[in-house]
Amino acid sequence: MAHNLGRILEKTGLCSQITFGRYVRQGRKLGLDPKLFIQDLQFNEVPVRVYQPKATSDGPRRGILFFHGGGWVFGSLDTYEKVCRYLSRESDSVVVSVQYRLAPEHKYPAAYEDCLSATQHFLQHLGHYGVDPARVAVCGDSAGGNLAAAVSQSLAGSSHLPRLRAQILIYPGLQALDFNLPSYQQNRGVPLLFRERAAFFALLYLNGDALHMQEVLEGSHIPPDMRLKYGKWVSPDNIPEEFKVRGVKPIRPTDFIAEVYETVKRFCEPNLCPLLAEDSVVHQLPESFILTCEYDVLRDDGLLYKKRLEDNGVPVTWYHLEDGFHGIINLFDYYSLSFPSGKRGLDRVVAFIKSL
């Protein structure tokens, strides 16, 4: 319904689908939280919202940088207010929610640069927020999980800032080479993220438009030698067999089209597709938590990254929601629509944070 209404509004010239989509996703303003001190600030000119538990603490608290989902196109501090309040309250941590710039108005690497910049600022001023420098984590869902993974990789070898204690990736999107992995085939029409939408969002983030979406979906945007190079990391062969029982057919990529590759070659940059980082980088990453959902096109991105981390000796806590679908965390307490498995997933994140 909302989708059709968006189309109608666009045809009548009132606003684009994206502006309308942002409007319907705004979320209601929440009242004061008796247990949290919440303030809107700027870290290196990036808007952030800081959540601090009011209760006195024995010592410095854990710090969590949170990057929201929404395909790099949607989402705001307000849409994730409930999630961030819950994380701060339940894990007794200082949470910093980052309002990075959105596509298509701001293309890659704007979102990544904002998240990295806000993280660096926070790491330089932890004492001001009563945060333990040995217990800071980055966290994000969907596109936010992509940004958390990219920021974590960028800081992995940094010696002048406190080392991140953990990365928490909630159904992250981590690659744009193969939109025909088993989870893309099995869940192509499952809400809240259709297969076409995943490619659409990745292209909007990269280029500010969705030209060549069909070629990208078919795989003709990647040269054969590159496909071979990354095949050791992005391949259905690396997906455990139990995830193939719902059916999967071998799909050969269509013929390579050089001019399409020219427009999307930055898909091979790890800051955009963290699954493609070299082993020397992955090897240095902090302890990781990965949440995947069975009914999610991005499931296999999470599974493939889990394997890469484990192959490089990084401890991984993995939680799989067998009845979960993409976006479910944000629906853990959604007015009349409440999904118990969304809350179960969020509570696993809280338990992981408390273990740090």
Side-chain angles (χ1 to χ4, degrees):
M1 165 65 195
H3 183 63
N4 292 341
L5 187 52
R7 285 258 164 90
I8 293 162
L9 288 173
E10 187 163 44
K11 285 207 164 40
T12 55
L14 285 172
C15 63
S16 73
Q17 276 187 55
I18 285 170
T19 311
F20 178 70
R22 287 178 185 158
Y23 173 73
V24 292
R25 286 173 174 82
Q26 273 175 44
R28 293 186 210 165
K29 283 270 190 225
L30 298 180
L32 291 172
D33 190 304
K35 293 189 172 172
L36 298 175
F37 178 56
I38 303 171
Q39 52 182 338
D40 287 354
L41 302 168
Q42 292 212 328
F43 284 2
N44 282 346
E45 297 178 15
V46 179
V48 298
R49 185 166 292 164
V50 181
Y51 302 81
Q52 293 173 275
K54 284 181 179 173
T56 53
S57 170
D58 293 343
R61 286 188 160 94
R62 287 171 291 258
I64 312 292
L65 287 129
F66 185 86
F67 312 132
H68 68 75
W72 304 280
V73 172
F74 299 112
S76 66
L77 300 176
D78 289 341
T79 47
Y80 278 77
E81 177 82 1
K82 272 191 175 175
V83 170
C84 290
R85 286 186 181 194
Y86 190 83
L87 288 176
S88 180
R89 266 198 324 264
E90 299 299 315
S91 73
D92 191 38
S93 303
V94 176
V95 173
V96 176
S97 184
V98 178
Q99 181 57 77
Y100 54 85
R101 286 169 291 168
L102 298 174
E105 295 88 343
H106 304 280
K107 298 185 287 196
Y108 169 79
Y112 156 75
E113 286 176 344
D114 286 355
C115 291
L116 180 60
S117 183
T119 302
Q120 289 169 326
H121 177 94
F122 188 52
L123 288 170
Q124 287 160 348
H125 299 89
L126 295 174
H128 185 69
Y129 301 97
V131 169
D132 180 352
R135 292 191 299 163
V136 180
V138 289
C139 174
D141 69 312
S142 192
N146 166 283
L147 294 164
V151 166
S152 188
Q153 288 182 3
S154 300
L155 295 173
S158 168
S159 55
H160 63 286
L161 288 170
R163 179 177 149 75
L164 289 176
R165 173 67 180 82
Q167 58 173 351
I168 298 165
L169 313 177
I170 300 167
Y171 36 74
L174 300 168
Q175 60 87 31
L177 265 61
D178 190 347
F179 288 94
N180 292 297
L181 290 167
S183 58
Y184 271 107
Q185 293 185 38
Q186 294 163 353
N187 303 304
R188 57 188 313 143
V190 177
L192 300 167
L193 182 63
F194 302 124
R195 174 173 171 263
E196 282 75 16
R197 274 289 179 208
F200 174 76
F201 285 138
L203 283 165
L204 277 192
Y205 179 37
L206 176 64
N207 288 331
D209 61 54
L211 295 174
H212 304 303
M213 186 169 89
Q214 204 46 49
E215 293 91 332
V216 167
L217 284 166
E218 289 167 2
S220 55
H221 62 307
I222 301 296
D225 59 326
M226 215 162 252
R227 196 170 285 288
L228 204 61
K229 174 186 172 183
Y230 293 123
K232 61 182 183 286
W233 300 330
V234 186
S235 163
D237 298 344
N238 294 349
I239 305 291
E241 287 306 310
E242 66 260 32
F243 294 101
K244 298 175 185 170
V245 292
R246 284 169 50 218
V248 58
K249 55 177 191 279
I251 294 182
R252 291 202 41 167
T254 48
D255 291 340
F256 170 59
I257 305 171
E259 54 267 37
V260 175
Y261 170 65
E262 281 309 309
T263 67
V264 301
K265 58 185 177 195
R266 296 187 79 184
F267 273 158
C268 296
E269 294 181 14
N271 289 340
L272 182 56
C273 293
L275 187 55
L276 308 184
E278 294 298 329
D279 283 332
S280 56
V281 174
V282 177
H283 177 71
Q284 299 182 67
L285 291 172
E287 184 178 347
S288 305
F289 176 96
I290 296 178
L291 182 136
T292 51
C293 291
E294 180 59 33
Y295 300 99
D296 180 4
V297 291
L298 299 185
R299 178 196 72 198
D300 294 351
D301 284 25
L303 294 175
L304 291 171
Y305 203 46
K306 169 182 181 279
K307 179 174 175 8
R308 290 219 55 205
L309 290 161
E310 289 172 341
D311 287 350
N312 279 280
V314 177
V316 179
T317 300
W318 170 56
Y319 188 62
H320 185 62
L321 286 173
E322 289 182 6
D323 54 350
F325 55 86
H326 193 84
I328 197 165
I329 291 293
N330 223 19
L331 300 175
F332 83 100
D333 179 21
Y334 195 73
Y335 311 115
S336 56
L337 263 185
S338 176
F339 290 90
S341 60
K343 183 169 185 310
R344 209 164 65 237
L346 202 57
D347 284 339
R348 281 302 177 108
V349 171
V350 167
F352 176 77
I353 292 170
K354 288 169 85 167
S355 76
L356 300 176

